[in-house]
Amino acid sequence: MQGSKRRFILFIVIAFVVSMFLAACSQEAGDDNEKENDSTKVPVSSDGKSVEITWWNFPNFQALDGKVGKYEEEIIAAFQEKNPDIKVNLEMLTFEGGPEKLNVAIATNTAPDVIYDAPGRIIDWGKKDLLAPLNDMMPTDVMNDISPALLKQSMVGDQVYMYPFNTGPFMMAVNKTLFEEIGELDLLPLDRPDRTWSVEEYEKALNAVKEKAPGIIPSGFYAKSVAGDQGTRGYITNLGASRFLNEDYSKVAINSAEGVKGLEWVVQASKDGLVAPGAASLEAGDHNDLFLQGKMAFAINYSAVLKSLFAPNKTEDFEDVLLPYPTPDGSDPKLEPFLGGLAVFNNEDDKKIEASKKLIDFIVNDPEWGKKNLIQTGGLSARNSVTGLYEGSEYDYSELARKFITDPPTTADGYAEIRTFWFPALQEAILETKTPKEALDDFAEKANATIEKAKSAN
């Protein structure tokens, strides 16, 4: 009896030891698995065929909680929940250093898989066969829901290289609060449904600021780099009622008598103290800061999208209101469209290309996240059928101003190089080392040669 009792106790002890050992092994295995999940942070699909892609993005979405990239991480988390076999790595770019980083990545065959950018660069890459076509993502009903002007910026020939997402015409903005304070609100065309106005009316508004608010710069201009070139283009072409390139994009038109007149106005306004001093050494970002700090009455590079993106950077409390560029006789302006869209680099990996397309489709078309993402850009939809996303007069006006959208020069052959000749020409005119006519003629000579060279290469 005593022996049986001892054997029973021994059995219990052994069983306890074995159970503790197994538990320890199980916990250790669990810890190892947890460490592995922490290191990869990507679920493995049941068939083991997971794919990893990289998304590079400029600050196209409003920063969440003041943190750039935080909103994008939320998009990725939601996407990966629906697509557990795809891991997305995010890299945020700055508007200042991003273009050069992309150039280096392309030159060294390390381009990202997905990029959210604008036509100026994307279409140039498409012409160089660097991108994967997206035609299979855009059926006829989608194509018919996008205006020809926006489609033209998204395609090379019959190939779609950019999936258009958010848009809004580029125009000006004014510090409405300032004009209320100086008692000159009636000088702004805000009582007109389309807000169109003449150069003469614009000059009266600028002079009112100069006289009644001497501490405020009437209007801005900048010519230090290519950034924001659409603002200086739109400003000058409308001041003189000119085109930048001719209608078939075969040559420069801004050196016409009308274009020269527009640049001459800028040069004279600089002398008269109506334009920010030192514009030749100001970048678009410097110009924006002056306006957002309440130090400048008019900004020449604005849109519904930029109004939303700039909002967190305002250091003064004022109402910024959209206005079209003035024209010589107050007739309808021609506004270039802002267009943001997504593209896929052809990195010779079909699985990554398909995964990248799935990410783009999620960002733009997901029933929940598509609308949420569009609103986070502050832009209008590239789709004509999608309206009424926002409340407020400025969004209503931005929708109305779509009727002023014209074809932009950004899809011209060689445009990526053409734009590098533009700001030196502006600098020369402002610094008076050349007359506006000489500066624009020199620009035209270089740009036309670039167009011919690019057409031959294509």
Side-chain angles (χ1 to χ4, degrees):
M1 187 73 176
Q2 187 71 23
S4 297
K5 186 176 181 179
R6 286 176 179 170
R7 283 195 296 273
F8 178 76
I9 293 172
L10 181 61
F11 173 78
I12 294 297
V13 171
I14 291 172
F16 178 76
V17 171
V18 170
S19 66
M20 290 295 289
F21 175 78
L22 292 175
C25 290
S26 176
Q27 179 66 41
E28 186 172 300
D31 288 344
D32 287 344
N33 289 335
E34 188 175 4
K35 289 176 182 176
E36 183 177 348
N37 288 337
D38 284 344
S39 64
T40 60
K41 292 184 180 179
V42 61
V44 179
S45 61
S46 57
D47 60 5
K49 296 181 180 179
S50 60
V51 61
E52 189 170 336
I53 60 174
T54 300
W55 172 23
W56 283 13
N57 190 37
F58 290 92
N60 292 303
F61 298 103
Q62 296 175 58
L64 197 62
D65 299 327
K67 297 178 181 178
V68 175
K70 184 175 180 179
Y71 183 78
E72 287 84 342
E73 292 288 1
E74 290 196 356
I75 294 175
I76 290 170
F79 171 74
Q80 290 183 159
E81 186 175 348
K82 291 188 176 183
N83 298 272
D85 56 340
I86 301 174
K87 178 184 179 182
V88 182
N89 298 309
L90 172 70
E91 183 159 345
M92 294 300 299
L93 304 173
T94 64
F95 288 117
E96 293 76 20
E100 182 58 28
K101 187 169 185 176
L102 280 162
N103 289 338
V104 171
I106 291 169
T108 57
N109 295 316
T110 57
D113 297 295
V114 180
I115 183 71
Y116 181 1
D117 200 1
R121 281 182 286 267
I122 288 178
I123 296 307
D124 185 58
W125 296 328
K127 289 176 179 178
K128 295 175 180 176
D129 294 325
L130 297 172
L131 303 177
L134 306 179
N135 296 54
D136 57 336
M137 296 182 66
M138 299 188 67
T140 303
D141 61 320
V142 173
M143 297 282 279
N144 291 341
D145 197 24
I146 300 172
S147 69
L150 300 187
L151 279 178
K152 190 172 184 179
Q153 292 188 83
S154 306
M155 303 176 69
V156 176
D158 59 358
Q159 297 295 314
V160 178
Y161 284 115
M162 185 178 80
Y163 200 116
F165 183 36
N166 60 323
T167 189
F170 279 116
M171 56 184 101
M172 298 174 65
V174 62
N175 183 332
K176 178 184 175 184
T177 305
L178 172 66
F179 277 83
E180 290 173 334
E181 291 173 348
I182 65 174
E184 296 289 3
L185 190 60
D186 61 333
L187 292 178
L188 303 178
L190 300 178
D191 58 343
R192 303 169 191 171
D194 55 11
R195 301 184 184 179
T196 54
W197 58 333
S198 69
V199 173
E200 183 180 359
E201 291 173 320
Y202 177 49
E203 288 175 347
K204 288 179 180 178
L206 294 176
N207 279 301
V209 174
K210 182 180 177 181
E211 294 168 11
K212 297 189 175 184
I216 304 296
I217 301 166
S219 187
F221 199 77
Y222 49 91
K224 186 177 180 181
S225 69
V226 297
D229 55 335
Q230 70 279 346
T232 53
R233 281 198 310 268
Y235 194 52
I236 291 172
T237 54
N238 279 285
L239 286 170
S242 171
R243 288 183 60 91
F244 191 75
L245 302 179
N246 64 6
E247 293 187 6
D248 65 2
Y249 294 176
S250 63
K251 62 185 299 186
V252 166
I254 192 65
N255 64 328
S256 64
E258 294 80 9
V260 171
K261 181 180 177 182
L263 185 53
E264 285 176 341
W265 187 96
V266 173
V267 172
Q268 187 59 49
S270 299
K271 295 178 183 178
D272 295 342
L274 301 180
V275 171
S281 59
L282 292 179
E283 293 188 323
D286 302 322
H287 159 276
N288 298 338
D289 288 342
L290 288 171
F291 182 70
L292 298 173
Q293 293 165 5
K295 298 177 180 178
M296 189 167 71
F298 288 90
I300 68 167
N301 185 36
Y302 234 68
S303 68
V305 178
L306 293 176
K307 175 180 169 65
S308 178
L309 293 177
F310 289 162
N313 300 326
K314 288 174 72 175
T315 57
E316 290 292 322
D317 185 19
F318 66 89
E319 184 179 359
D320 46 344
V321 174
L322 297 171
L323 287 174
Y325 297 113
T327 58
D329 59 358
S331 57
D332 289 354
K334 291 182 171 59
L335 306 180
E336 291 188 23
F338 166 84
L339 182 61
L342 295 109
V344 177
F345 277 98
N346 184 1
N347 289 326
E348 306 296 334
D349 188 320
D350 291 341
K351 289 182 180 179
K352 288 193 172 190
I353 289 174
E354 289 309 308
S356 298
K357 289 180 179 180
K358 284 185 178 181
L359 175 61
I360 291 175
D361 185 63
F362 178 84
I363 291 171
V364 178
N365 297 318
D366 182 80
E368 175 189 356
W369 282 85
K371 181 178 179 180
K372 185 189 298 187
N373 294 338
L374 184 58
I375 291 173
Q376 197 71 14
T377 70
L380 309 175
S381 174
R383 305 273 184 92
N384 294 324
S385 63
V386 180
T387 59
L389 292 172
Y390 311 91
E391 293 182 0
S393 59
E394 294 317 290
Y395 281 104
D396 291 342
Y397 177 68
S398 195
E399 288 279 11
L400 180 150
R402 281 186 190 237
K403 69 180 182 179
F404 299 137
I405 286 178
T406 187
D407 52 322
T410 52
T411 56
D413 290 315
Y415 187 76
E417 184 176 357
I418 290 171
R419 69 195 302 226
T420 65
F421 306 134
W422 176 238
F423 69 92
L426 299 180
Q427 288 178 328
E428 290 167 343
I430 292 170
L431 295 174
E432 297 188 85
T433 57
K434 291 181 180 177
T435 67
K437 172 65 173 171
E438 291 170 342
L440 291 179
D441 280 344
D442 286 352
F443 165 73
E445 182 178 353
K446 295 172 184 175
N448 289 338
T450 297
I451 292 172
E452 290 301 317
K453 178 181 175 182
K455 282 183 178 294
S456 299
N458 292 335

